[in-house]
Amino acid sequence: MTWSNLLQPDLILQNSVLELTPDTIRKYGLKGLILDVDETLVPVKAASASEELQAWVEEIRSCTSLWLVSNNLSESRIGSIARSLDLPYYLGAAKPSRRKLREALRGMNLPAQEVGMVGDRLFTDVIGGNRLGMFTILVEPIVNPGVALRSHPIRNFEVWISESLGATITAKNTNVHKN
């Protein structure tokens, strides 16, 4: 797999994860979603899920299995968020390592190609999901969903590197698909 393929998300949402709908999930034939936590679901300092996120999880759980996989090491924080959403979770995932992503896939009892990896980072979430053959979904960080993709310093660097390696990261439309 080339670097451009590793870094290329299957779908780019121009807004936060809250814009991911059951119709979109069904459109791509996904039966499960592995969700990153920090800045994908909650701001990095938040200890619980917002009411809006809780409502979104309830809507999405009606059509797909959900699992949280976070690089964060804080059991108290990630566990609290997972419990507030009533979702299974792994922390300390060290994404793009595939180990805990594979464990979540086993927990869902689904093949990788039927599961979406949803996250706000190219070098952790997208690479990790692509290495397993998952459907990768890049979202805007939840900290400020209205801010453009290139306005976050770490993401700006990741986008620049990814585009230098041939990935198409700048969202011209809502969706970007692999070639």
Side-chain angles (χ1 to χ4, degrees):
M1 184 174 274
T2 66
W3 275 107
S4 62
N5 288 340
L6 275 174
L7 291 162
Q8 183 66 59
D10 291 299
L11 176 66
I12 297 174
L13 296 183
Q14 293 179 322
N15 291 305
S16 77
V17 69
L18 301 175
E19 298 298 315
L20 186 58
T21 65
D23 286 341
T24 302
I25 292 165
R26 283 189 286 273
K27 175 181 177 180
Y28 294 105
L30 300 175
K31 295 180 180 166
L33 294 177
I34 295 177
L35 304 165
D36 175 51
V37 178
D38 289 331
E39 295 189 350
T40 297
L41 298 180
V42 296
V44 77
K45 303 254 185 213
S48 64
S50 68
E51 288 181 22
E52 187 178 26
L53 179 63
Q54 290 174 7
W56 177 84
V57 165
E58 287 309 311
E59 177 184 24
I60 297 302
R61 116 169 52 234
S62 70
C63 69
T64 189
S65 296
L66 299 171
W67 205 287
L68 304 183
V69 176
S70 176
N71 283 354
N72 194 304
L73 294 171
S74 173
E75 170 64 40
S76 63
R77 183 170 169 277
I78 301 303
S80 174
I81 293 165
R83 285 185 293 280
S84 73
L85 297 171
D86 191 27
L87 293 176
Y89 67 98
Y90 287 112
L91 52 96
K95 293 174 287 182
S97 169
R98 297 171 286 189
R99 188 172 59 92
K100 297 225 175 147
L101 295 174
R102 280 189 187 117
E103 290 177 25
L105 290 170
R106 279 192 290 278
M108 286 190 261
N109 197 30
L110 291 170
Q113 63 271 19
E114 293 180 3
V115 178
M117 176 65 226
V118 182
D120 67 309
R121 300 284 308 277
L122 290 163
F123 285 14
T124 57
D125 307 313
V126 172
I127 288 177
N130 282 340
R131 290 179 71 207
L132 285 171
M134 298 170 68
F135 185 88
T136 51
I137 303 170
L138 182 67
V139 300
E140 283 294 314
I142 201 81
V143 281
N144 189 354
V147 176
L149 180 67
R150 292 182 175 269
S151 65
H152 301 315
I154 293 171
R155 289 259 308 238
N156 186 18
F157 177 72
E158 288 181 348
V159 168
W160 179 80
I161 292 289
S162 299
E163 288 178 339
S164 297
L165 293 170
T168 306
I169 306 302
T170 305
K172 296 179 179 92
N173 300 306
T174 307
N175 304 337
V176 174
H177 305 282
K178 288 182 182 168
N179 295 332

